[in-house]
């Protein structure tokens, strides 16, 4: 989705959406908008099980700012999920409620873990945002090398296993 934006070279705060000379903003209007728009939701860190649902908040007053939900996909890379009421993601499990102030993800999968960002932004002002962290609990999985080893008495022997899961499982060895 694109929004046409025409800037006046003499005044970076003088912008119009239609190119007909209708002024939709001025420096004074922009400063007033900066003072009014805010996000009151605090960053959340939540743990959720595979198959469950989670909801993230983005409460506040966006004023005339666009409200966007994104998911971090790596360093300096995000996937846009929603812009205002427009759903960008094709994932049917992800939706917003209450005028885009709540993001819900149903039937959670391991790939849903990560950072979710709610941003309020306009074309010419700094972004206001809150970043939530979602951890997906995964049961421990153990893989052991099953080779038979013959070692002479008194010589060292090594055994290895790979354990994954969240939270990180504790590994202990026992001799029987």
């Amino acid at each position: 989705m694109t929004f046409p934006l025409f800037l006046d070279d003499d005044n970076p705060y003088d912008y119009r959406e239609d190119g007909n000379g209708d002024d939709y903003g001025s420096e004074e209007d922009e400063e007033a908008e900066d003072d009014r728009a805010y996000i009151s939701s605090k960053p959340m860190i939540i743990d959720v099980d595979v198959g469950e649902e989670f909801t993230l908040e983005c409460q506040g007053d966006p004023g005339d700012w666009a409200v966007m939900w994104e998911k971090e996909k790596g360093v300096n890379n995000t996937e846009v999920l929603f812009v205002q009421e427009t759903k960008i993601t094709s994932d049917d499990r992800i939706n917003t409620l209450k005028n885009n102030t709540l993001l819900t993800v149903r039937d959670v999968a391991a790939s849903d873990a990560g950072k979710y960002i709610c941003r309020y932004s306009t074309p010419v002002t700094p972004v206001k945002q809150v970043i939530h962290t979602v951890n997906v609990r995964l049961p421990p999985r153990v893989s052991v090398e099953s080779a038979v080893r013959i070692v002479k008495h008194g010589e060292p022997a090594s055994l290895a296993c790979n354990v994954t899961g969240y939270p990180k499982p504790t590994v202990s060895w026992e001799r029987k």
Side-chain angles (χ1 to χ4, degrees):
M1 174 181 292
T2 59
F3 301 97
L5 178 68
F6 303 94
L7 293 176
D8 180 342
D9 292 334
D10 296 330
N11 182 356
Y13 293 97
D14 181 19
Y15 60 93
R16 299 176 297 279
E17 290 186 14
D18 61 5
N20 294 325
D22 296 327
D23 183 6
Y24 288 98
S26 67
E27 187 170 352
E28 293 81 23
D29 293 342
E30 201 60 47
E31 286 174 5
E33 189 174 289
D34 278 344
D35 291 340
R36 189 179 59 163
Y38 67 90
I39 296 177
S40 60
S41 295
K42 301 295 182 213
M44 298 168 46
I45 299 174
I46 63 169
D47 291 347
V48 63
D49 293 322
V50 170
E52 290 186 346
E53 176 178 304
F54 67 84
T55 301
L56 303 173
E57 291 185 352
C58 190
Q59 303 293 331
D61 181 1
D64 296 329
W65 294 29
V67 179
M68 293 176 52
W69 279 100
E70 301 173 70
K71 182 172 189 278
E72 194 173 84
K73 291 291 191 179
V75 178
N76 296 324
N77 187 18
T78 61
E79 173 190 3
V80 176
L81 305 173
F82 283 85
V83 175
Q84 296 295 77
E85 302 292 328
T86 304
K87 186 173 186 172
I88 307 301
T89 182
S90 60
D91 192 333
D92 291 335
R93 302 172 308 118
I94 302 174
N95 288 295
T96 59
L97 303 167
K98 294 189 178 180
N99 296 324
N100 214 27
T101 61
L102 299 175
L103 179 79
T104 62
V105 179
R106 294 179 289 106
D107 194 23
V108 170
S111 60
D112 294 320
K115 296 189 182 303
Y116 290 79
I117 305 152
C118 175
R119 300 182 199 267
Y120 291 179
S121 64
T122 68
V124 295
T125 58
V127 168
K128 296 181 189 270
Q129 66 183 23
V130 62
I131 301 173
H132 301 297
T133 303
V134 174
N135 300 310
V136 178
R137 286 188 287 260
L138 300 170
R141 297 186 95 199
V142 179
S143 60
V144 179
E145 191 177 304
S146 62
V148 175
R149 299 179 193 251
I150 299 174
V151 180
K152 292 183 181 178
H153 182 73
E155 288 185 0
S158 65
L159 304 171
C161 71
N162 183 31
V163 181
T164 60
Y166 181 86
K168 185 177 179 179
T170 302
V171 178
S172 61
W173 290 87
E174 186 178 298
R175 181 178 168 189
K176 289 188 177 186

